Amino acid sequence: MADNLINGKEIAGKVTEKVKERVEHLKSKGITPGLAVVLVGSDPASQTYVNSKTRTCERLGMYSVMIELEENISEEELLTHVNKLNDDDQIHGILVQLPLPKQINEDRVIAAISPLKDVDGFHPVNVGKMLIGQPTFLSCTPFGVMKLLEYSDIALEGKHAVVIGRSNIVGKPMGQLLLQKNATVTYCHSKTKDLHNFTKQADILVVATGQPKMINASHLKEGAVVIDVGIHRNEDNKLCGDVDFASAKEIASKITPVPGGVGPMTIAMLMENTCLAAENTLDK
């Protein structure tokens, strides 16, 4: 990889090697970390992502189970499955793959997961703890971005970090985690006027717009660190991100590619959260 690329695959490997050591320690005490992934429907992208999570669990010596449910399942039926997993001592982490079908209230399902098993970091209790800086499960993608910055020796204190996107899954927690490391944080979103005015000030730019190649070199300050959270298929059916990588890499001091940047880190942090959930049972 070029000198200014942040290799997410390589860093994810370092993270999961440490997780593997922790898993082995837990096993020596009679505990095998267990992750349950609930998949509703047959969306190909979700299926691929879930399969990758399951394979990573197996590689790290963790227990995993995948529960596949029909697209037309009722909300009550889904909640019944979640409650069973809450009560299953073999399961330390529960992940319900989003998005869910329209007949199901995602907020209600997330709230039904025990905060002690919410390894996605979406439960309101864990979001609240994250907000005030208490130890908790962090949302996996923003957690992964923080690890990328840490392993890449990118200083955050006093830097201006601009986050484009305000979703509960990425944008909002991303800004808060950067703030906790003493960055000055600006949030931008679909209603922001004169986006260039903000992005050109960014020492660190995290892009989670959901729009392919929305950000290009014209948006960047020379030497900015660019973190691309997006993933899409372009007109040639090749993967691309929210950033026009070809132009941005000429301006950025550090940049994540797509694929091979943030994506592998999301799964790595899910494994770390699941391991942590299992470790927490030792304190009971």
Side-chain angles (χ1 to χ4, degrees):
M1 288 188 141
D3 287 345
N4 69 333
L5 294 197
I6 298 176
N7 188 336
K9 187 175 180 180
E10 181 180 298
I11 295 172
K14 293 177 181 178
V15 171
T16 53
E17 277 305 305
K18 290 182 179 180
V19 171
K20 189 174 182 179
E21 292 174 6
R22 291 162 62 186
V23 170
E24 289 169 358
H25 177 69
L26 283 165
K27 284 184 167 183
S28 74
K29 295 181 176 293
I31 297 174
T32 299
L35 173 68
V37 180
V38 181
L39 179 63
V40 181
S42 55
D43 176 69
S46 292
Q47 186 78 53
T48 299
Y49 195 44
V50 165
N51 287 339
S52 180
K53 292 170 181 174
T54 303
R55 287 194 303 272
T56 305
C57 275
E58 292 170 355
R59 180 169 59 83
L60 300 182
M62 298 165 65
Y63 169 67
S64 69
V65 59
M66 183 164 70
I67 299 170
E68 298 182 82
L69 304 172
E70 296 294 328
E71 179 87 18
N72 61 358
I73 191 173
S74 71
E75 185 177 296
E76 293 305 318
E77 287 176 292
L78 176 54
L79 291 173
T80 297
H81 283 281
V82 170
N83 288 328
K84 286 180 180 177
L85 294 170
N86 283 336
D87 295 333
D88 187 341
D89 290 340
Q90 277 193 293
I91 298 300
H92 301 96
I94 301 169
L95 183 152
V96 177
Q97 184 68 33
L98 303 178
L100 292 169
K102 61 181 182 295
Q103 76 272 14
I104 296 173
N105 183 318
E106 288 186 358
D107 290 340
R108 190 176 175 205
V109 172
I110 290 168
I113 298 170
S114 167
L116 301 176
K117 297 187 176 187
D118 168 42
V119 290
D120 249 342
F122 295 163
H123 193 285
V125 168
N126 291 327
V127 173
K129 286 183 175 181
M130 179 273 298
L131 190 64
I132 61 176
Q134 290 186 359
T136 191
F137 300 116
L138 301 177
S139 183
C140 296
T141 297
F143 191 12
V145 170
M146 296 304 289
K147 284 289 184 184
L148 285 177
L149 294 169
E150 177 189 334
Y151 273 78
S152 301
D153 295 320
I154 294 167
L156 298 176
E157 186 168 338
K159 297 297 178 67
H160 187 187
V162 175
V163 179
I164 310 179
R166 52 178 170 176
S167 72
N168 292 335
I169 293 173
V170 180
K172 288 177 183 175
M174 187 73 258
Q176 293 302 311
L177 293 177
L178 288 163
L179 184 64
Q180 287 173 17
K181 293 298 183 182
N182 297 319
T184 299
V185 178
T186 298
Y187 284 100
C188 296
H189 46 78
S190 59
K191 305 300 182 186
T192 299
K193 295 180 179 179
D194 191 13
L195 182 64
H196 282 76
N197 180 52
F198 295 98
T199 59
K200 293 284 277 189
Q201 299 178 47
D203 300 306
I204 297 150
L205 182 66
V206 182
V207 188
T209 66
Q211 299 182 46
K213 298 186 179 183
M214 177 181 170
I215 300 299
N216 56 47
S218 71
H219 292 86
L220 305 180
K221 177 169 79 172
E222 185 76 38
V225 174
V226 180
I227 306 293
D228 189 351
V229 179
I231 187 162
H232 314 275
R233 292 275 178 186
N234 65 15
E235 57 277 4
D236 298 320
N237 202 35
K238 292 182 178 179
L239 291 173
C240 66
D242 290 352
V243 175
D244 179 13
F245 180 78
S247 67
K249 71 182 176 68
E250 302 301 325
I251 301 293
S253 62
K254 294 283 184 182
I255 186 170
T256 57
V258 177
V262 174
M265 294 302 298
T266 299
I267 295 176
M269 304 330 294
L270 174 65
M271 299 299 115
E272 178 152 324
N273 279 347
T274 303
C275 186
L276 175 62
E279 289 168 341
N280 288 343
T281 66
L282 292 173
D283 299 329
K284 289 186 176 179

